[in-house]
Amino acid sequence: MTFYDPGPLEDGDLELVLERTYRGSRSLGLAPAYAFSMRQRETGVRMGDIDLRLSNDPYIVLYAGHIGYGVERAYRGHRYAARACRLLLPLAKAHGLDPLWITCNPDNLASRRTCELAGATLVEIVEVPPGTDLYRRGEREKCRYRIDLATVQRAPAAVRSAR
């Protein structure tokens, strides 16, 4: 797996800091991924996390999504998750993830709004199959949001190997 240097990922007071990359493990059902922290640019304070999963495996596309995020309670309401998602779009495109899928629970109105603000369109709500990790955690349905990346311009600069 080849990972790209995403370069600076900044939007106003938000910056994404690459924490690590994962090669993934088929035997464990883990996709290769980038893991970023969402930080305040001026202070470096961590406000949340966001991952970009590099797989078009049906489980990712249908249930888990290419992007997963979480914003610390004290920093919610500032659209950091939507802004962070948008910052990852060129990187996702560079990895051939077109379309890009983001999922969330139907009753999570904040995440649904995040998907819309990130430029995603709701395609459907699907049932989570029994026996999956999500199902074991009590999640029974997922909203599937789609972003077409054909118009995304900026691509990451340099290439580096997986760690």
Side-chain angles (χ1 to χ4, degrees), residues 25-152:
S25 169
R26 255 189 196 274
S27 63
L28 296 176
L30 300 173
Y34 292 86
F36 295 89
S37 60
M38 293 180 216
R39 297 193 177 264
Q40 285 182 333
R41 259 184 25 159
E42 299 277 325
T43 65
V45 170
R46 188 182 151 282
M47 301 180 294
D49 298 293
I50 188 165
D51 296 339
L52 175 63
R53 301 177 190 111
L54 306 176
S55 173
N56 279 317
D57 176 272
Y59 181 79
I60 298 290
V61 171
L62 292 171
Y63 311 110
H66 289 117
I67 292 179
Y69 54 82
V71 176
E72 298 294 327
R73 190 169 304 281
Y75 299 100
R76 293 180 185 167
H78 299 279
R79 300 184 172 176
Y80 290 125
R83 292 163 53 196
C85 287
R86 285 194 307 266
L87 288 171
L88 291 181
L89 298 182
L91 185 58
K93 182 177 181 177
H95 280 285
L97 300 176
D98 193 9
L100 179 102
W101 295 95
I102 305 175
T103 65
C104 66
N105 293 336
D107 61 346
N108 188 335
L109 299 180
S111 278
R112 292 183 74 162
R113 183 68 179 140
T114 291
C115 291
E116 293 165 2
L117 291 169
T121 303
L122 178 63
V123 172
E124 64 185 338
I125 298 176
V126 296
E127 291 184 22
V128 174
T132 62
D133 230 18
L134 292 171
Y135 193 91
R136 282 189 287 278
R137 291 194 316 229
E139 300 183 37
R140 299 299 185 256
E141 293 182 317
K142 287 291 177 181
C143 294
R144 295 184 66 234
Y145 284 86
R146 176 186 173 128
I147 300 177
D148 293 310
L149 299 178
T151 59
V152 172

Side-chain angles (χ1 to χ4, degrees), residues 2-41:
T2 299
F3 290 92
Y4 301 104
D5 179 349
L9 299 173
E10 301 173 344
D11 176 4
D13 62 337
L14 168 68
E15 78 174 327
L16 300 186
V17 176
L18 181 62
E19 298 291 336
R20 64 192 154 280
T21 57
Y22 298 102
R23 289 181 186 263
S25 169
R26 255 189 196 274
S27 63
L28 296 176
L30 300 173
Y34 292 86
F36 295 89
S37 60
M38 293 180 216
R39 297 193 177 264
Q40 285 182 333
R41 259 184 25 159

